[in-house]
Amino acid sequence: MTPAQHPVLVVGGGPVGLAVANLLAARGVPLVLVERNASTSDEAKAISLDDESLRTLQATGLADKVLEIVVPGTGTRYYDRKGRPLFHARGPQAYRLGFPFKNQFAQPELEKVLLDELKSRPEADVRFSTELVTLEERPDGTGVTATVRTPGAMDEELLEVSWVLACDGGRSAVRELFGIRMTGTSHQEVWLVADTTGDHHDERYGMHHGTPDRPTVIVPGRGGRCRYEFLLHPGEGEKGVRPDFETLRRLVAPYRSLTEEQVERCTAYTFNAVVADRWRDGHVLLLGDAAHMMPPFAGQGLNSGIRDATNLAWKIDDVWHGRARESLLDTYEAERRPHATAMVRYSERLGDVVMTTDRRRALVRDIAARTLLRIPPGRRYLSEMRFRPRARHEAGLVVGDHPLTGTQLPQPRVLVPPSLRPQLLDDVLGKSYALLGVDVPDAAWRRVDGSHWPDDTIGIKRIDVLLGDRLPPAAAAREAVADADGRLEEALGTARNRFVLVKPDRYIAAVMGPDDLPAVAAALRRQTA
């Protein structure tokens, strides 16, 4: 297999398109990004960025810049039918993935950070005010011919590209060109959403008020910004029509006073809960809202799109550079669709329960929550958000049935010789696969050498992992890390005396003993060139 000669085409310059483009450019994959609008969005649509998304941006070197524009959040506080605090959902263990669990931000600021970084990369050709017109698979099966149009240009331009990544939103032109339908539900309830300035709220968490008369969401941001969302009653507004200021002022009045100059954005919208029937058509793949759309109540729309980008970017990299077969890209939908679909359904259910307008249902909800809060397992279930679908790869590039297989590897801080200065684990793992030997002896590592691992093809990094309160060796045949604070033990304790194969997206492909090495190595070779 020879490396592709044509760049990757990213369609859409929103946060998902900019994220996957940065991931590709950071891996040395040339790309063209086209966006029909003249600039990035000036509207704050998405507003919540979770720890998994920040971990992805860490891989592009952007985490520190993004942390400067977010509120390091502490989750969501839910209120009962009478406006009283019910419980605070802080998520799993703090900094489990290396970053705060849930972070409020303004989308225009995030897009600017992503775009500025992308423009600085020589691999990226960024074209705004450029509309995609047609896509056609080349007869020789080597990629796609795209037709694009730029205002003022004499003729349309043909682009020869290797892969097309459709990040062009819920009204995806790419999905329309390929006749890909979406299955699910369109909800008719109209919500008013307003982004305001000069606000007094300083909470580091979102607030969901489950008052049946007027379900409300409040999300404070940085610098006095705050988002308000209200379920509208019949006659108060309609989808796509900007609500009048008096309506907004009346709804916000219980929480603050408001002038027209303090309104950055105000719109009325409905939402969809739909998933594309297929995510790949030849050399075209769908990401983000082009592949799935969900209600906003779980704050997972953008984060699900960035999960798509994280899963797909390294696979495009390996295929483009000739390190893997094209069949590797079939694992994208196999790994991502189940969790994205579960998150769509979860977002619907959460809205039905938390934002219900049925008084009896709200009463049952409040009684059930307060009953759970009386017992430790119930408190953990609510406060740690164990009701949220957990991402796990049940199919795709996974081998074996160990409890850790298919799960995401946490990112604790580890001690790295010779300085022993604590570092985030991903900074040690690198950009490719990593084979972790968790308290395994040298004899077990010698069996790795005899199992014909495709190290030369895909660059598997070998790392000794020392659990317990021990020092990593300063000079050894392999890199080594030690547990800095006990969290490495929590993450990998069940894999002691075993090898753990970690994919570039930090999901675990296999956990194996020495006798299992040949079978896992063979499975990996089947995906490589």
Side-chain angles (χ1 to χ4, degrees):
M1 182 182 299
T2 57
Q5 298 299 308
H6 299 298
V8 173
L9 176 63
V10 177
V11 183
V16 173
L18 292 169
V20 75
N22 270 290
L23 287 167
L24 291 173
R27 290 176 168 275
V29 178
L31 65 102
V32 179
L33 183 145
V34 298
E35 165 58 52
R36 64 180 180 179
N37 293 317
S39 65
T40 54
S41 174
D42 59 358
E43 294 187 347
K45 299 172 185 175
I47 198 170
S48 177
L49 203 64
D50 65 18
D51 51 356
E52 194 170 349
S53 294
L54 284 172
R55 186 181 192 178
T56 291
L57 296 176
Q58 176 190 355
T60 68
L62 280 170
D64 288 341
K65 291 181 180 178
V66 173
L67 285 171
E68 293 178 359
I69 64 169
V70 306
V71 173
T74 60
T76 303
R77 181 166 293 182
Y78 293 94
Y79 294 78
D80 69 9
R81 69 194 188 284
K82 295 184 178 181
R84 299 169 299 190
L86 194 55
F87 68 93
H88 193 139
R90 296 179 181 273
Q93 185 184 62
Y95 286 81
R96 178 176 175 272
L97 301 183
F99 298 95
F101 173 65
K102 186 177 182 181
N103 309 273
Q104 293 84 266
F105 73 101
Q107 183 169 325
E109 293 181 346
L110 176 64
E111 291 188 5
K112 182 180 185 305
V113 169
L114 295 176
L115 180 59
D116 287 348
E117 178 69 16
L118 188 63
K119 285 182 174 179
S120 73
R121 295 187 179 275
E123 298 87 357
D125 178 2
V126 181
R127 306 186 187 186
F128 280 76
S129 298
T130 303
E131 182 180 4
L132 177 70
V133 181
T134 65
L135 290 171
E136 185 175 350
E137 288 272 350
R138 288 195 291 274
D140 61 3
T142 59
V144 177
T145 300
T147 307
V148 298
R149 180 191 300 125
T150 303
M154 294 291 292
D155 299 302
E156 294 176 342
E157 181 181 358
L158 295 180
L159 299 176
E160 300 295 337
V161 299
S162 56
W163 300 92
V164 177
L165 307 188
C167 308
D168 51 345
R171 297 187 179 91
S172 170
V174 176
R175 197 181 62 233
E176 187 71 21
L177 286 171
F178 281 78
I180 301 174
R181 299 174 61 86
M182 302 192 87
T183 300
T185 305
S186 295
H187 293 260
Q188 301 307 312
E189 298 91 348
V190 181
W191 284 76
L192 180 152
V193 57
D195 293 305
T196 65
T197 60
D199 201 277
H200 67 280
H201 282 96
D202 60 0
E203 294 88 349
R204 288 169 52 205
Y205 50 84
M207 291 162 272
H208 286 208
H209 292 269
T211 310
D213 289 345
R214 180 77 71 182
T216 300
V217 178
I218 303 174
V219 184
R222 289 175 69 111
R225 281 196 174 97
C226 191
R227 169 167 293 184
Y228 293 88
E229 299 187 26
F230 304 96
L231 177 63
L232 295 181
H233 297 159
E236 286 186 322
E238 56 182 291
K239 175 185 177 181
V241 177
R242 179 184 173 91
D244 62 85
F245 175 72
E246 181 54 34
T247 298
L248 174 59
R249 188 201 62 77
R250 173 172 54 84
L251 295 175
V252 172
Y255 308 99
R256 62 164 295 179
S257 60
L258 189 67
T259 66
E260 291 192 63
E261 292 74 21
Q262 293 172 317
V263 181
E264 284 190 327
R265 173 185 180 232
C266 183
T267 189
Y269 73 99
T270 60
F271 51 80
N272 299 307
V274 292
V275 179
D277 292 347
R278 63 184 188 277
W279 295 16
R280 179 182 178 187
D281 193 317
H283 286 76
V284 175
L285 299 110
L286 309 182
L287 296 81
D289 283 357
H292 42 73
M293 290 185 283
M294 63 191 69
F297 306 115
Q300 287 298 301
L302 171 59
N303 293 298
S304 291
I306 294 182
R307 287 189 193 97
D308 297 342
T310 309
N311 184 287
L312 186 56
W314 71 268
K315 296 173 181 177
I316 290 286
D317 171 29
D318 274 5
V319 172
W320 195 92
H321 282 103
R323 294 189 293 265
R325 305 177 192 277
E326 289 188 10
S327 59
L328 177 63
L329 299 181
D330 292 332
T331 66
Y332 163 58
E333 183 173 349
E335 292 173 355
R336 281 292 304 133
R337 173 186 279 276
H339 184 254
T341 301
M343 197 60 79
V344 170
R345 304 295 171 244
Y346 160 68
S347 300
E348 280 190 296
R349 292 194 305 272
L350 189 64
D352 288 344
V353 173
V354 176
M355 302 283 104
T356 183
T357 58
D358 186 308
R359 292 179 180 277
R360 288 176 297 181
R361 192 171 190 179
L363 174 61
V364 172
R365 174 200 65 202
D366 295 348
I367 292 173
R370 294 193 188 282
T371 301
L372 282 172
L373 290 168
R374 291 195 182 108
I375 57 176
R379 285 197 299 273
R380 289 193 295 270
Y381 178 76
L382 294 177
S383 65
E384 297 178 13
M385 296 186 72
R386 296 187 179 187
F387 48 83
R388 192 174 80 159
R390 184 185 181 194
R392 180 169 188 157
H393 298 168
E394 301 285 356
L397 189 52
V398 288
V399 183
D401 57 1
H402 189 276
L404 290 179
T405 301
T407 67
Q408 187 179 30
L409 178 68
Q411 186 181 198
R413 294 186 179 275
V414 295
L415 302 179
V416 182
S419 71
L420 299 181
R421 179 177 60 85
Q423 298 182 37
L424 286 172
L425 179 59
D426 286 5
D427 293 339
V428 181
L429 296 183
K431 293 182 179 180
S432 189
Y433 294 84
L435 184 64
L436 311 181
V438 184
D439 280 349
V440 300
D442 285 339
W445 278 111
R446 288 193 290 272
R447 294 188 64 175
V448 172
D449 296 329
S451 300
H452 305 293
W453 284 80
D455 300 54
D456 294 340
T457 304
I458 58 177
I460 302 175
K461 192 171 187 179
R462 302 181 181 190
I463 301 174
D464 270 312
V465 174
L466 283 77
L467 302 182
D469 299 322
R470 294 185 294 155
L471 286 173
R478 294 166 297 278
E479 290 191 45
V481 299
D483 201 338
D485 55 10
R487 293 194 172 183
L488 190 63
E489 174 95 35
E490 292 178 13
L492 292 174
T494 60
R496 191 185 298 272
N497 305 134
R498 292 173 178 265
F499 291 97
V500 177
L501 179 63
V502 183
K503 294 182 283 188
D505 58 9
R506 312 314 185 197
Y507 279 76
I508 294 172
V511 178
M512 61 214 130
D515 292 340
D516 305 317
L517 287 167
V520 176
L524 196 57
R525 286 198 304 273
R526 286 194 290 269
Q527 295 287 357
T528 60

